[in-house]
Amino acid sequence: MDKSTTFGSGRAPNNAGRPELTATDVSVRFGGVRALEGASLEVFPGTITALIGPNGAGKTTLLNVISGVVRAQRGRVELEGADITRFTPPRRAQLGILRCFQSPRLFDSLSVLENVGASIWMRGPWSWDAARDESRSMELLDRCKVPRRSFTSPAGLNLVDRKRVEIARALTGRPKVLLLDEPAAGMGRREADALIDLIRELQADLHVAVLIVEHNMPLVMDVADSITVLNFGAVIASGDPAAIRSDPNVIAAYIGSA
């Protein structure tokens, strides 16, 4: 997908060039519990991929494997074709795999500007330049549409603005792949739409690959270029939203979970 492509003009093909991120044949067990069994997915540059499935399907576990929090017993994770399977979470973050959590993890003892500025400093260069870091922080917060009146303390921010701040912090790492764990959780439709509009805008402007774990199916069908469906730790379908919507295995899995 070209950087100038807008979502209203159609969806990106699922085989557009080399994947930015690939997880292949990933299996994870916790004791006797099978969390993932041979799960694979691809995330392409400049596209939004959704990872969906019933509760307990293994979505968060696969996200944890990709970010390095959980080590798989079998399988491989690649970034731009390079094997990163054994890399630590900090190393993966340095390479451009950044994650935002379902519940934003902000430091309420710091100002909003300091939350983002601290992330800039931690990613280097290892020298404190207050003017430079404040300017960069304000640029990222403005880009994520955080109201300037809120730049002091995050304690009074509503949920959508807290998530905007967390996305701004992730952007300090210049992500190649942005992992979003249930970004619309706890939001009404209007708030969720506003956040998803921001994600679309960032994806188009920065040409970043986005992987979303989400339960809001109308939102997923609206925003995703491709969808991978997990059930009981295994991939049961992968394709564009139209194909997933009519897939009998997906319909059976969701009806069964209800």
Side-chain angles (χ1 to χ4, degrees):
M1 179 188 293
D2 187 84
K3 292 184 181 181
S4 62
T5 301
T6 60
F7 274 78
S9 62
R11 299 188 181 277
N14 290 341
N15 59 351
R18 185 178 70 178
E20 190 78 27
L21 173 76
T22 306
T24 306
D25 195 28
V26 174
S27 295
V28 175
R29 289 180 179 267
F30 299 112
V33 178
R34 182 187 72 177
L36 291 171
E37 189 64 37
S40 300
L41 66 74
E42 295 178 326
V43 183
F44 287 86
T47 65
I48 298 178
T49 300
L51 181 61
I52 68 172
N55 288 332
K59 303 181 297 297
T60 298
T61 301
L62 184 52
L63 214 63
N64 286 338
V65 169
I66 290 169
S67 61
V69 176
V70 168
R71 177 163 292 182
Q73 280 80 48
R74 189 179 77 225
R76 181 182 179 96
V77 179
E78 296 179 356
L79 180 66
E80 297 181 316
D83 186 2
I84 61 167
T85 306
R86 302 188 68 82
F87 288 10
T88 64
R91 179 60 179 145
R92 297 185 196 208
Q94 289 175 344
L95 293 173
I97 298 178
L98 281 299
R99 182 174 181 177
C100 295
F101 293 86
Q102 179 179 345
S103 298
R105 302 182 177 186
L106 304 182
F107 299 106
D108 286 342
S109 59
L110 302 178
S111 72
V112 169
L113 276 172
E114 288 168 339
N115 265 273
V116 180
S119 185
I120 292 172
W121 179 78
M122 289 177 67
R123 297 187 194 285
W126 293 89
S127 59
W128 180 255
D129 185 324
R132 177 203 64 201
D133 292 347
E134 181 174 308
S135 176
R136 176 64 175 154
S137 298
M138 292 182 71
E139 175 191 338
L140 291 173
L141 289 165
D142 285 341
R143 184 164 208 163
C144 291
K145 298 179 172 61
V146 180
R148 286 209 168 194
R149 65 178 182 275
S150 306
F151 280 14
T152 51
S153 172
L157 292 179
N158 59 32
L159 179 58
V160 68
D161 283 338
R162 289 181 71 87
K163 292 201 173 188
R164 290 176 189 274
V165 174
E166 188 166 58
I167 291 172
R169 287 200 315 190
L171 293 183
T172 66
R174 294 178 171 82
K176 296 175 182 175
V177 181
L178 185 59
L179 309 178
L180 302 176
D181 193 355
E182 296 193 42
M187 296 183 187
R189 184 57 196 251
R190 186 174 180 179
E191 291 176 314
D193 284 347
L195 188 67
I196 292 303
D197 284 346
L198 171 64
I199 293 167
R200 282 171 164 163
E201 185 178 307
L202 294 173
Q203 173 269 329
D205 289 349
L206 304 177
H207 205 59
V208 64
V210 179
L211 177 60
I212 294 181
V213 170
E214 184 55 69
H215 286 285
N216 186 325
M217 286 304 99
L219 184 152
V220 166
M221 293 298 172
D222 179 52
V223 76
D225 297 302
S226 63
I227 301 173
T228 295
V229 188
L230 285 174
N231 194 30
F232 294 111
V235 173
I236 60 171
S238 184
D240 63 41
I244 295 300
R245 186 183 289 111
S246 60
D247 189 292
N249 291 327
V250 177
I251 294 170
Y254 274 96
I255 292 174
S257 70

